[in-house]
Amino acid sequence: MLIETGLPNQLHRGKVRDTYAINDNLLLMVATDRISAFDVVLPTGIPEKGKVLNRISNFWFEKTAHIVPNHLITLADSADAPALLAENPDLNGISGEMASQAMIVKRAERIDMECIVRGYITGSAWSEYRRQGTVSGKPMPEGLVEGMTFPEPLFTPTTKAEEGHDQNMSDQEVEDMVGAEMAQKLAEVSKAVYQFAHDYAKERGIILADTKMEFGMLDGELILIDELLTPDSSRFWDMEGYGPGKSQPNFDKQFVRDWLVDQGWDQEPPAPELPEDVVARTTERYKVAYRRLTGTEL
């Protein structure tokens, strides 16, 4: 299990991903087996999780490249990778395990925003709606039930907090950050990627309830970065057993969130250790999502 990458000269340590510079234009991005919930990194890792995230992101980057370009160059265990990694002696000869959980990507200027698209009312959106009848501060119709589909997908961006909890952003705050034209483009592209993936997943018995994406700028062009449509960044529900008004059968980390809520944890660090059965069942759910969506075994 890969919790810490431990290579020298780390450029960035995220909740799950560790990033290293290969050169001025390329990065090595490693998906570890760390897991976060409610914006807190848990003390327990999930075996094979990083491999799933890496492989499923690769799958979706290739599938959605016709909608928007992305930062992917190649997986770090591909035949092309050693020649690229050789440009940074610190990365020469990384282990096979780490290579299987990493990708080589273009270096972009990150837009500091989580671009969230919601097709169904659940999670924090459902909590907010129950409290005040809004989602991301916008009024919603009365009578919505947990798990219901929205008439059309909602774009509900948040801040990208390095520590602590992400905060909802208003339309004006998004425009203030990136300008009106880019704000509109981010919303349109995010919803287009979501709709494509939603329709693709549905054919494979999975409902994509919501997802979050990150974007960057490279040579004046908007590109997708980080991860894409993984069980970490998305809610995947099993169509068999889906029904509004309840918690849905899922293939993502909702199982971990539910367990943490049942423990009465206040969602502030430190988080409790996960028991072995929760860890094992989470690994299995991630692998089922991968198998269903890609049609291949991990």
Side-chain angles (χ1 to χ4, degrees), residues 36-40 164-165 253-254 256-258 260-261 265 267:
S36 69
F38 306 109
D39 298 316
V40 177
H165 301 292
K253 62 180 179 183
Q254 189 59 43
V256 172
R257 291 190 197 100
D258 290 346
L260 290 166
V261 168
W265 177 48
Q267 300 181 19

Side-chain angles (χ1 to χ4, degrees), residues 60 63-64 66-67 191-201:
W60 286 117
K63 284 281 180 199
T64 60
H66 67 287
I67 300 172
K191 287 195 276 191
V193 171
Y194 169 83
Q195 195 63 59
F196 172 84
H198 174 273
D199 295 348
Y200 186 93

Side-chain angles (χ1 to χ4, degrees), residues 96-232:
E97 178 192 29
M98 193 179 298
S100 74
Q101 297 184 202
M103 55 177 62
I104 296 170
V105 300
K106 300 168 191 168
R107 194 170 189 161
E109 186 181 344
R110 187 179 80 180
I111 297 171
D112 288 330
M113 185 190 310
E114 299 271 17
C115 291
I116 298 171
V117 183
R118 302 178 184 277
Y120 299 73
I121 188 161
T122 187
S124 61
W126 172 241
S127 300
E128 180 187 333
Y129 177 77
R130 279 190 303 171
R131 282 195 316 273
Q132 54 204 49
T134 60
V135 171
S136 197
K138 294 175 182 172
M140 290 288 126
E142 290 183 11
L144 295 185
V145 173
E146 182 182 10
M148 259 185 164
T149 181
F150 292 114
E152 61 180 58
L154 302 181
F155 180 62
T156 60
T158 69
T159 57
K160 183 165 176 58
E162 291 301 327
E163 293 182 9
H165 301 292
D166 299 335
Q167 302 295 326
N168 288 338
M169 295 180 72
S170 68
D171 293 347
Q172 189 60 55
E173 286 171 326
V174 175
E175 287 188 18
D176 289 346
M177 179 185 281
V178 298
E181 188 179 340
M182 180 56 72
Q184 184 178 352
K185 187 169 186 180
L186 285 169
E188 288 174 355
V189 170
S190 298
K191 287 195 276 191
V193 171
Y194 169 83
Q195 195 63 59
F196 172 84
H198 174 273
D199 295 348
Y200 186 93
K202 202 166 184 182
E203 290 176 3
R204 286 147 187 83
I206 287 180
I207 294 171
L208 174 61
D210 55 36
T211 194
K212 63 182 175 183
M213 298 167 234
E214 290 188 42
F215 291 88
M217 298 299 295
L218 182 63
D219 300 329
E221 184 177 40
L222 185 71
I223 68 169
L224 268 169
I225 63 170
D226 198 57
E227 65 182 325
L228 184 61
L229 296 156
T230 72
D232 259 22

